[in-house]
Amino acid sequence: MSEKTKKPANPALIAAVKAVAVLVCICVVCVALLAVLNEVLYISDDERLARAMSKIYPDYELDTEFSADLNNTNAPDGQIKNVYRSRDGAYIIEALGKGGYQNGSVTLYVVVKSDATIFGWAVKENDKQSYIDRVPATAGKTWYVGRRVDEDLQLDMTGATVAMTSTAIYNAVKTAAWYCLNTESVKNELGLIDKVALATDVVKQLLGEEYADYKFSTANIHQNATVAADDPAEQPVKFMDLISPADYPLAYLLVGEKADSDNGIMAYVYGNEDAYEAVAVKENGTVVSTSGMEEKAELLQSITDHRVIAVKIGNQMRYAVIHSYVEDGDNVKYTVSGLKFASYPNSYILEVVVKGVDSKGTVQSVTATVSGFVSGMPSESNANVLLTQLNGATADTVLELYTSHKASGATNSSDIIAAAVLAVLNDFDAKLASGN
Amino acid sequence: MKLQRFKEIALDGTVRQNPTLRLVLGTCPTLALTTAAMDCLGMGAAVIFVLVFSNLIISLLRNVIPDKVRIPCFIVIIATFVTVVSMFIEAFLPSLYESLGMYLALIVVNCIILGRAESFASHNPVLDSVCDGLFMGIGFTLSITLMGIVREVLGKGTLFGATLWNFKIEFFAKPAGAFLTYALFIAIFNVCYNAVERKLKHKAGEQKHKAEVAAENTAAKEA
């Protein structure tokens, strides 16, 4: 019978096993404690709603018999999570807005009164919006308040220093408005007419069958966005002043997107729902307008001269206006304005020199003649880094450079700069392809 | 625990090793939250809770936790208590929860808490560790609340939310004002602390000298 020899225990192994065991035990106990507390302290959706309403809509009294129509919840800029109704007829729409910082989102409770006006909103939760605390506590009682859900809700974020988070808030409010307009029962109850849909119909009719599968929505361009003046020595001018004359104001600025396309076409709608008139600019720059618009020759010229190019940056449409195109040997110098879309920063006016390399437009230099950066905002240096990094970029690589750069913090300006340069490269490539 | 030891711990936490003004720890909430004194009290209470309970548990487990995994263990324990306090505040004080925002969750990485766990609780008995957590927390709370009062009064013209007057120097409510106020607080505190310490040393020296002289006199008389 052979004698069994006992191997000596490895003290290092024993110590390691003990260390792991202790750590695991501590984790398990902590998890158990938190699980129990979570059960006890869990805040239900109803409780969250009641808390939010106590701040913005004290008259709220939940209509328990109401059952929300949630058949269609995916809006262009967000998603409807739930809908409640107060006994006085007001709708409380829980809407998620996309397009926040790092593609995150903000979920709001938006109160829409029975007269179809927005009464207020409160934040329910957010995803990745670490600076949401900077949104003023009073914002829910001021921004967008009093606006009708069937009007073109323009950005209203006075005093916000969080451009991307504010954009997500804007999108959530727009999503709530979209729900009211696209849900038959709510639409009828609030007596709404979907004016954007009517305007879209006019635009589609104008463009014909070729554009039947385009999806139109209101363009997210800031009211104060500026573009370079005709005389470069002069101060930039307000873009809206160029396309919306005082005696013939713009009703809607629409952007049309085809599924899986990274570009969009612009449509300008004037008049009111009884008789909308429209101007549309096709991808090749051709301007078409409804009959009767010929009288507005100056306006049509202004639209033609300030052609807005819509390009997709990240998952959002951004806009740029190309002003001039000067050939200098092999190089072409563009002046382009990247349009402001959120509260900060402002429009950028860039000089972009492009050269055709291997049948592709390649950026030779990007210079900001007007920096859109707002003094006091962080990361101006990061925005300037992108200007340098775009040297050598082609239409295929702009988004790659933009994505790797954006994490550095200059989010809003990165979008504007990238959109302007991409618009230039698309234009150059189109000209190159057509032999111009 | 002896009364003398208790006094030492209390003095260390609130004065001699005041986390904010002497050790310059926990500067993130100190700079960010001191625009409102009420938020400072809320944050202070949360930090006291986490410090006391994390010190308690870490001290209890100090002979069980192996040295190699002590930091992950401390972090797990601290994070658990931060989550607990966060859940409590969200459930019972929602307005404070909104005001503190992400800084509440950031208590997990507050150097005061990990620092006390590592330097005190993991080497000392339970009662001492609990007292250390309590007084360190009190020291932190007092410092940030005082700073909060100064910044709120000067920067907003309010005190604990109540309007005092319409006069305000907005600079004090801005980040640059936070740095300036913090620097002034550190300077004033340390000048006072050093002056008191010198005085005490001088007093102790005098007493020692008197005792020596008395001893010499006694020796001379005896001789």
Side-chain angles (χ1 to χ4, degrees), chain A residues 19 30 37-38 48 51 55, chain B residues 66 80 84 87 90-91 98 102:
Chain A
C30 290
L37 274 173
N38 191 43
R48 279 183 202 278
R51 281 181 183 183
K55 280 189 234 156
Chain B
T80 303
V84 168
M87 286 160 97
E90 190 183 10
E98 275 175 29
M102 63 175 173

Side-chain angles (χ1 to χ4, degrees), chain A residues 259-313:
Chain A
D260 303 327
S261 169
D262 288 337
N263 305 316
I265 67 161
M266 303 303 296
Y268 306 72
V269 182
Y270 298 87
N272 56 43
E273 63 269 28
D274 299 328
Y276 278 130
E277 291 185 290
V279 183
V281 186
K282 294 183 178 178
E283 287 96 334
N284 59 7
T286 312
V287 177
V288 289
S289 61
T290 46
S291 58
M293 284 292 286
E294 296 83 10
E295 292 168 23
K296 309 282 180 191
E298 205 179 322
L299 176 62
L300 288 177
Q301 194 57 49
S302 186
I303 290 172
T304 312
D305 291 346
H306 301 94
R307 186 182 153 207
V308 179
I309 295 174
V311 288
K312 201 166 244 175
I313 300 290

Side-chain angles (χ1 to χ4, degrees), chain B residues 33-44 96 100 141 144-153 156 158-161:
Chain B
L33 286 173
T34 48
T35 47
M38 193 54 91
D39 290 354
C40 297
L41 277 180
M43 173 54 88
L96 180 66
L100 296 180
T141 309
I144 62 165
T145 308
L146 277 175
M147 257 183 83
I149 290 171
V150 170
R151 287 187 68 201
E152 193 182 341
V153 169
K156 294 180 179 171
T158 60
L159 181 60
F160 291 103

Side-chain angles (χ1 to χ4, degrees), chain A residues 35-93:
Chain A
V36 171
L37 274 173
N38 191 43
E39 282 300 308
V40 178
L41 300 172
Y42 174 74
I43 301 163
S44 66
D45 274 2
D46 287 349
E47 172 65 20
R48 279 183 202 278
L49 177 65
R51 281 181 183 183
M53 289 307 109
S54 67
K55 280 189 234 156
I56 57 165
Y57 191 43
D59 293 343
Y60 165 77
E61 204 185 323
L62 182 67
D63 181 352
T64 45
E65 286 162 22
F66 171 73
S67 127
D69 178 354
L70 294 171
N71 291 324
N72 187 13
T73 56
N74 289 319
D77 303 302
Q79 199 187 7
I80 297 296
K81 307 286 258 182
N82 211 339
V83 179
Y84 308 87
R85 198 169 65 175
S86 174
R87 286 193 192 282
D88 61 4
Y91 281 91
I92 294 95
I93 301 161

Side-chain angles (χ1 to χ4, degrees), chain A residues 156-216:
Chain A
D156 179 2
M157 297 180 289
T158 321
T161 54
V162 273
M164 304 306 287
T165 302
S166 302
T167 305
I169 289 174
Y170 170 54
N171 285 338
V173 175
K174 263 184 25 174
T175 299
W178 171 91
Y179 175 80
C180 296
L181 289 164
N182 288 278
T183 308
E184 213 55 40
S185 56
V186 181
K187 193 172 149 185
N188 293 337
E189 201 177 319
L190 299 179
L192 294 171
I193 305 166
D194 190 348
K195 294 177 189 171
V196 176
L198 288 176
T200 301
D201 288 345
V202 173
V203 171
K204 281 196 168 179
Q205 226 168 356
L206 170 69
L207 288 164
E209 276 300 304
E210 199 188 332
Y211 291 88
D213 54 349
Y214 274 62
K215 201 174 165 188
F216 284 85

